Amino acid sequence: MKAQPKASHFIDGAYVEDTAGTVIESLYPATGEVIARLHAATPAIVEQAIASAKRAQKEWAALSPMARGRILKNAAAIMRIRNRELSELETLDTGKPIQETIVADPTSGADALEFFGGIAPSAMNGSQIPLGSDWAYTKRVPLGVVVGIGAWNYPQQIACWKAAPALVAGNAMVFKPSEMTPLGALKIAEILIEAGLPKGVFNVIQGDRDTGPLLVNHPDVAKVSLTGSVPTGRKVAAAAAGNLKHVTMELGGKSPIIVFDDADLDSAIGGAMLGNFYSTGQVCSNGTRVFVHSAIKTEFLKRLKARTEKILIGDPTDEATQMGPMVSFAQREKVLGYIEKGRAEGATLLTGGGIPNTVSGEGYYVQPTVFADVTDGMTIAREEIFGPVMCVLDFDDESDVIARANDTEFGLAGGVFTADMARAHRVVDQLEAGTLWINTYNLCPVEMPFGGSKQSGFGRENSEAALEHYSELKTIYVGMGRVEAPY
Ligand code: NAD
C-alpha cells in the first residue's frame, strides 16, 4: 500500500497499534485505491493518549514560552525542508492537486508553527494592576489537555493550526484527524518529536464519529477545538457544555461574494473562481453565493464560463492539474444531488453539472459547475454543498444585497469587489461574518484571526487571538499591609 504508516496512532512519542479497533481504509480519491489500512482508537487507546498528554503537560508548561517556541520553529523548518514529501502525502490523503498542496498545505501548517513559535516569548505575558499600596497581577496559564478534531479538507493545516497555539500556551494535545484523511497528522507528530517536542505533548489517534465523543466527554480534557460541519459542532458543543469545557468551533458556511458594477471584472471572476473551485470547492469559507450587479451580469457570466471550462481536471500528481477529485464517493454523490436540485428548482446551468468525461477510472471527480439565475430560496443558495458549485445571483441595490447576503444561518466569511473603497468598507461593516475580504478572497495568512459568527462557530484560530482560546487568566491580588478586619 502506497502510504501505509508504521501504525495507526502516535502516542507518547511513538507509533502505537491496537488491531481491535474498527478498520479505517484510506482511499486515494483519484482512483479509489486503498493506500493505507488503519484502526480506529479503542477506548484503551483513547485512555493511553489522554494519560500520555496529561503526564507530559505539566513538564511542558514548566518550560519557558521561549523554549517551547524554539521547538515549534524547529518543526516549521523541518516541514519546509520536507514540503514536497508532505505535499505528496497530502495529495494522496485528500486527492487535492499537487499544484495546490505544494503551496498551500504543509506550508500554511509551517507558517502557524513559525508564527506561534515566534511570538512565544511574549505570548503568555500578563499585566500588573496598581491598587494604591496593594497591587495585583495576572498570569496567562494553559488549560491542560486539549483535544483537536479535524475535517478532511486541510488535514495537515488543521493539525498545525490547532497544535501551534495550543502548544505554545503550554497545553498538551490529543488530535483526531478526520477518518477520511488519517495520514498527514501522523507525520506532523513525527516531525514535532524530531524538532525536540517532549513525548506525549502532541498525540494523534484515529477514529470517526464514535471516537470523537470518547475524547470530548473525557474528564481529563479541558478543551475541544473542532473543525467540521454545523451538525457535528452542535453535538460537540452540547457534550462539552455538560462538563463546562472550553470549545472552539470552526464550522461550515454559505458565504456571500458581492460584485459591484465598478469592480475590476477579471479580478472579481478570479476571486469568485478561487472561492468556489480551489480544493475542488471543499473550503469552509468559500463564497458560494456570488451576487453580481445586473449591469455586469452578462459579461461576468460570459467570461466566467470561458475561464471555468479551461480548468484542467485530472491526475492530482500531475503538476499541470488544476482540479482533482472530491475527497470521497459519498461527498461526490452529495454534490451531484445538489446539482440535480439546482436544475429541478429552476436555476440556469451555465457550465459543468456532472462527472467529467475527460478523466477515466474510479476517481470521485465532478465538473466545476456554475448556476446562474439562482434565487435566494433555492436549496443550492441556502445549504452548504462543499463542492465546486458556484451560485450566481443578481442584484441592483446595495442595501438590498446586504440584507440578502445576511439572510443565512451561517456567518463564516464574505467578500466584496468594488473600486469604491468607501462602499467596500461600508458593506463589509454590515456583513454578518467573522472574516471578510475586500477585492480578494479566501486568503488566510496566519497573522490574521480566522473564524466564524452565527452558526459558523465561535473562537478564533491564527494570530494572537488564538492564544486566548487555549489559555486563561489567573489573577493574583497582593496585599502589602496588615489585614484590617472589623471583627
Ligand atoms: P464532519 O462534521 O463530518 O466531521 C468533522 C470531524 O468531527 C471528523 O473528524 C469527525 O470524525 C468528527 N466527528 C463527527 N461526529 C462527531 C461527534 N459526535 N463528536 C466528536 N467528533 C465527531 O465534517 P467533515 O465532513 O469532515 O468536514 C466538512 C465540514 O467542515 C464542512 O461543513 C466545512 O465547512 C467544515 N470546515 C470548517 C472549517 C473552518 O475553519 N470553519 C474548515 C474546514 C472545514
Side-chain angles (χ1 to χ4, degrees):
M1 273 175 290
K2 263 188 190 147
Q4 183 66 34
K6 283 186 203 142
S8 301
H9 320 290
F10 195 95
I11 300 173
D12 211 26
Y15 276 98
V16 176
E17 192 56 274
D18 181 351
T19 52
T22 324
V23 171
I24 295 176
E25 281 193 333
S26 172
L27 307 179
Y28 179 40
T31 60
E33 173 196 357
V34 179
I35 53 167
R37 200 163 275 125
L38 299 95
H39 294 271
T42 54
I45 286 287
V46 171
E47 284 305 324
Q48 204 178 323
I50 291 176
S52 124
K54 194 177 173 185
R55 212 168 35 241
Q57 191 264 327
K58 292 265 179 298
E59 206 181 311
W60 174 241
L63 289 180
S64 71
M66 184 145 164
R68 293 200 292 266
R70 198 175 295 132
I71 292 169
L72 265 58
K73 286 196 284 180
N74 288 345
I78 299 172
M79 284 187 75
R80 292 198 200 287
I81 291 166
R82 302 217 187 121
N83 186 40
R84 157 101 9 213
E85 178 198 324
L86 290 167
S87 302
E88 284 170 358
L89 181 68
E90 193 77 338
T91 286
L92 286 174
D93 220 2
T94 61
K96 296 196 291 180
I98 191 78
Q99 192 187 91
E100 282 187 21
T101 53
I102 203 93
V103 295
D105 291 84
T107 44
S108 77
D111 284 352
L113 292 164
E114 190 175 329
F115 175 84
F116 286 102
I119 64 166
S122 58
M124 301 300 278
N125 287 358
S127 60
Q128 188 268 356
I129 303 151
L131 299 167
S133 56
D134 288 352
W135 57 288
Y137 63 95
T138 62
K139 295 178 76 164
R140 190 157 279 285
V141 295
L143 301 174
V145 175
V146 300
V147 160
I149 299 179
W152 40 256
N153 55 345
Y154 282 82
Q156 292 181 30
Q157 179 193 84
I158 292 171
C160 293
W161 280 20
K162 294 193 189 306
L167 267 44
V168 151
N171 303 286
M173 177 168 267
V174 178
F175 184 80
K176 189 199 82 61
S178 164
E179 59 275 31
M180 309 301 306
T181 52
L183 305 175
L186 292 168
K187 284 285 163 204
I188 307 293
E190 265 185 49
I191 287 172
L192 281 163
I193 287 289
E194 199 178 324
L197 192 75
K199 294 172 181 177
V201 175
F202 182 72
N203 308 277
V204 175
I205 65 163
Q206 306 297 341
D208 55 16
R209 62 192 57 234
D210 296 326
T211 319
L214 300 178
L215 292 168
V216 177
N217 294 321
H218 199 287
D220 288 338
V221 169
K223 182 202 164 96
V224 182
S225 175
L226 169 79
T227 297
S229 62
V230 172
T232 302
R234 290 202 184 103
K235 282 184 213 151
V236 172
N243 289 305
L244 294 179
K245 291 185 204 298
H246 299 244
V247 284
T248 292
M249 291 284 152
E250 291 292 350
L251 309 177
K254 190 76 196 176
S255 302
I257 296 177
I258 303 174
V259 184
F260 285 94
D261 51 355
D262 61 349
D264 173 333
L265 206 55
D266 287 323
S267 186
I269 292 167
M273 290 177 74
L274 282 167
N276 277 274
F277 300 145
Y278 204 70
S279 296
T280 321
Q282 303 162 116
V283 180
C284 52
S285 49
N286 271 355
T288 46
R289 290 181 297 144
V290 183
F291 293 91
V292 178
H293 194 278
S294 55
I296 52 166
K297 175 186 171 183
T298 308
E299 190 59 24
F300 184 95
L301 291 177
K302 188 177 122 201
R303 293 192 210 176
L304 171 64
K305 178 172 155 64
R307 285 173 67 173
T308 301
E309 287 171 358
K310 284 203 191 112
I311 291 175
L312 288 175
I313 310 171
D315 175 0
T317 62
D318 182 339
E319 304 269 346
T321 295
Q322 295 170 318
M323 189 184 277
M326 309 289 317
V327 76
S328 66
F329 179 78
Q331 188 62 21
R332 182 177 69 180
E333 290 304 290
K334 187 177 155 199
V335 171
L336 291 174
Y338 275 114
I339 291 173
E340 273 324 299
K341 268 197 187 122
R343 280 198 175 107
E345 292 180 9
T348 306
L349 183 66
L350 186 72
T351 184
I355 295 171
N357 55 17
T358 47
V359 192
S360 58
E362 299 298 310
Y364 316 128
Y365 289 91
V366 62
Q367 289 174 311
T369 296
V370 180
F371 279 110
D373 305 314
V374 177
T375 53
D376 297 347
M378 289 180 186
T379 310
I380 53 170
R382 302 214 67 80
E383 296 181 12
E384 184 185 46
I385 299 174
F386 222 57
V389 182
M390 186 194 302
C391 294
V392 180
L393 304 94
D394 312 341
F395 80 94
D396 288 301
D397 175 68
E398 181 182 310
S399 53
D400 178 53
V401 77
I402 292 168
R404 290 168 62 201
N406 285 337
D407 181 21
T408 166
E409 63 169 351
F410 299 108
L412 187 56
V416 52
F417 282 86
T418 175
D420 178 346
M421 275 300 124
R423 170 157 65 190
H425 291 287
R426 188 169 65 232
V427 171
V428 293
D429 202 42
Q430 294 172 80
L431 289 177
E432 296 164 359
T435 309
L436 291 144
W437 291 275
I438 294 174
N439 290 336
T440 186
Y441 203 77
N442 257 357
L443 298 176
C444 288
V446 64
E447 296 94 322
M448 68 179 222
F450 177 76
S453 61
K454 294 161 80 176
Q455 295 294 298
S456 293
F458 36 80
R460 290 292 176 266
E461 298 203 297
N462 290 343
S463 79
E464 287 89 343
L467 288 168
E468 287 168 30
H469 302 285
Y470 284 106
S471 59
E472 59 192 1
L473 284 181
K474 182 180 267 189
T475 307
I476 298 104
Y477 186 110
V478 184
M480 300 294 286
R482 289 177 53 78
V483 172
E484 299 298 339
Y487 37 75

